[in-house]
């Protein structure tokens, strides 16, 4: 059996290894958090586009799937499926006209980064929500916005 000194040395090594792994992981989590905050504006922009009522002016478009060019003679409220490939992925062309801007439903918690008040684990909320799920690390239900 190893001496107490040898076991202590092994434990010291284990501690160093564990902390090195934890530091790398927390740096990665921090970086992901920064990127998350940057991308939230894009998420909001996408959500706004999806919410608004738009119409597509007549003109030359291209299928998003097979890139076959098409001419729409009339304004489109919704794109038909592509004649060439049957795709419903829509068409690229002149920018759509926004007919109506529909505001987002008010939410108790807006999208963003939160922190568990108890264990300080981060929580990244992609969409606004009226409730937050309990902390997956400690089960606490109190969060603060970062
Ligand atoms: Zn197509
Ligand atoms: Zn927690």
């Amino acid at each position: 059996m190893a001496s107490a000194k040898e076991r202590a040395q092994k434990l010291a090594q284990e501690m160093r290894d564990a902390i090195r792994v934890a530091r790398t992981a927390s740096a990665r989590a921090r970086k992901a958090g920064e990127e998350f905050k940057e991308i939230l504006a894009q998420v909001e922009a996408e959500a706004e586009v999806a919410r608004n009522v738009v119409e597509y002016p007549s003109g030359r478009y291209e299928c998003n799937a097979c890139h076959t060019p098409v001419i729409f003679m009339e304004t489109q409220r919704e794109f038909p499926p592509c004649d060439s490939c049957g795709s419903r992925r829509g068409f690229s062309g002149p920018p759509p006209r926004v007919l109506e801007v529909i505001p987002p439903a008010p939410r108790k918690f807006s999208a963003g980064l939160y922190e568990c008040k108890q264990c300080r684990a981060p929580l990244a909320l992609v969409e606004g929500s009226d409730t937050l799920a309990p902390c997956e690390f400690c089960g606490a239900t109190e969060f603060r916005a970062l």
Side-chain angles (χ1 to χ4, degrees), residues 44 47 51 103-112 114 125-132 145:
E44 175 49 33
R51 226 167 32 232
R107 296 291 191 189
K108 214 168 139 194
F109 301 98
S110 54
Y114 293 82
L125 192 61
V126 177
E127 297 184 303
S129 172
D130 288 327
T131 52
L132 292 180

Side-chain angles (χ1 to χ4, degrees), residues 6-76:
E6 280 166 349
R7 276 182 286 153
Q9 278 169 339
K10 193 165 172 289
L11 287 172
Q13 184 61 46
E14 268 179 39
M15 281 163 62
R16 280 200 297 274
D17 289 348
I19 286 171
R20 195 173 301 123
V21 169
R23 288 241 169 103
T24 310
S26 87
R28 213 161 46 225
R30 209 164 36 240
K31 190 161 176 292
E34 281 161 18
E35 284 174 24
F36 177 84
K37 278 198 244 177
E38 282 168 23
I39 214 166
L40 267 189
Q42 294 171 37
V43 173
E44 175 49 33
E46 272 178 16
E48 188 178 308
V49 167
R51 226 167 32 232
N52 292 345
V53 179
V54 297
E55 67 176 19
Y56 302 93
S58 56
R60 188 180 183 282
Y61 288 80
E62 196 177 87
C63 170
N64 285 337
C66 71
H67 303 291
T68 302
V70 268
I71 307 276
F72 288 118
M73 304 299 283
E74 287 172 9
T75 298
Q76 308 285 313

Side-chain angles (χ1 to χ4, degrees), residues 114-128:
Y114 293 82
E115 182 181 82
C116 172
K117 275 189 181 170
Q118 194 162 296
C119 74
R120 307 197 58 194
L123 172 82
L125 192 61
V126 177
E127 297 184 303

